[in-house]
Amino acid sequence: NRISRQTTYRIVQLRQTLTRQRNARLRYAPVGARTIRRELEKRRVKPCPSLSTIQRTLQRRGLTQPTPAEARSYRPHPPATYPNAVQATDIVTRWLTGGEVVQTFTTVDHFTNTASATPQPHKRATAAREHLLKTWQTMGLPDLAQFDNESAFSGSRQPHRLSPIVRLCLYVGSDVLFTPEYEADYNWEVETFNNFWAHQCWAKHRFTSRGRIPLVYRRFLAWYDADYVAPRQTNTPQQLRKGHRLHRLPQRLTQHIPDDLPICRGRVHAVRCVSAEGNVKFLQETFQVGKRYHDKYVWLTLNTAKQTLTVYYQAEAEADWQTLKVFPYPLDEPVVPVLKPFARLHHAHRSVCTMR
């Protein structure tokens, strides 16, 4: 059951090649067992060793680093069983040589791991809007757009106001989800991509101006889309999209989206941890849920058409959803329907968040 000396030698050599970054085709590739196995398959090595065998071989040669175990408590997550069911967006801050800042907006599709990245000089709502419109033209419109609680996404500190980004998502027919506050690991899909991008792309280049960044991003994302298989994935993003219809945002519709957007019919969700006082915060307002739910996570849904805020609770992943409370949530301006061109793009829309 032991692998041959030649296969062991190839594994070690591949690891060293990946570490030294001398192969242009593998410039952005990680150095772990998954990459090594894919390269052995491309070289038609038979029998090709398993991931565990490659990992043991690397460990015996002292070529691995221990990974700490992560303890995760249960929190409700939106299901992503098809492309663009859920797209998560985040911001990464980096500095150029000389001190100039670059804010990189990244979006990752939960199902296929398809990614989009846009460098921006700042992280205001206008930059977020530009990134999302560009992303939706290439990746397609999401049924649910997931964000953390950055002001670029959630808006100002004034209560009871929907931000420009929330309005933009509702305008094109997408629901919105805000992750739990100060819990970056909830957004692990996009955080994993950000860490990978930082190590495999940003750290391997020395940028002195923003002009060169887009070309490098395009080159990295092209490799990532066609050749990278992420952990917990069965294939590359490009291959996982095959056979699925993507509803991309047409350029002609993008040009007609106004700067000042109304509130459209739709839903805005948030996952929140209940405080010791039994409260949760949503759009800078406090709502009483009940002390019995202290330290538990609830799901909030603002229905702009009904102008209600509903609090749901799920004890565990397979448990039924409970409706805890329904608050009236009157909006200060008219709520309009989603325009027909955008509604048609979502004609096969499947509701990701169904609390039954």
Side-chain angles (χ1 to χ4, degrees), residues 146-158:
Q146 179 174 300
F147 305 101
D148 62 18
N149 299 277
E150 277 269 6
S151 59
F153 308 127
S154 62
S156 66
R157 296 182 179 180
Q158 297 182 17

Side-chain angles (χ1 to χ4, degrees), residues 108-157:
V108 175
D109 172 40
H110 282 198
F111 181 77
T112 64
N113 220 50
T114 304
S116 171
T118 307
Q120 298 285 357
H122 55 76
K123 55 179 181 178
R124 294 192 287 270
T126 52
R129 173 187 168 115
E130 181 182 334
H131 165 74
L132 290 173
L133 291 177
K134 175 184 175 183
T135 296
W136 294 340
Q137 290 177 55
T138 56
M139 285 176 54
L141 287 167
D143 287 345
L144 181 73
Q146 179 174 300
F147 305 101
D148 62 18
N149 299 277
E150 277 269 6
S151 59
F153 308 127
S154 62
S156 66
R157 296 182 179 180

Side-chain angles (χ1 to χ4, degrees), residues 274-287:
V274 181
S275 69
E277 294 76 25
N279 299 326
V280 293
K281 277 193 172 183
F282 179 75
L283 296 181
Q284 307 301 325
E285 292 184 274
T286 301
F287 297 88

Side-chain angles (χ1 to χ4, degrees), residues 233-292:
Q233 294 284 18
T234 59
N235 224 322
T236 66
Q238 188 179 85
Q239 291 167 325
L240 288 172
R241 290 196 303 270
K242 285 185 177 179
H244 294 276
R245 185 179 180 184
L246 305 180
H247 302 283
R248 294 184 174 90
L249 180 64
Q251 177 68 25
R252 57 181 177 80
L253 291 182
T254 305
Q255 295 172 348
H256 291 89
I257 297 177
D259 293 332
D260 295 325
L261 293 167
I263 298 176
C264 291
R265 294 174 186 172
R267 296 184 299 173
V268 183
H269 311 274
V271 178
R272 292 290 182 262
C273 184
V274 181
S275 69
E277 294 76 25
N279 299 326
V280 293
K281 277 193 172 183
F282 179 75
L283 296 181
Q284 307 301 325
E285 292 184 274
T286 301
F287 297 88
Q288 180 70 26
V289 175
K291 292 184 179 180
R292 61 177 294 191

Side-chain angles (χ1 to χ4, degrees), residues 39 45 126 186 196 203 208 212 215 289 312 334:
E39 289 303 311
V45 173
T126 52
Y186 184 95
F196 181 80
T208 56
R212 187 167 168 258
L215 176 61
V289 175
Y312 300 97

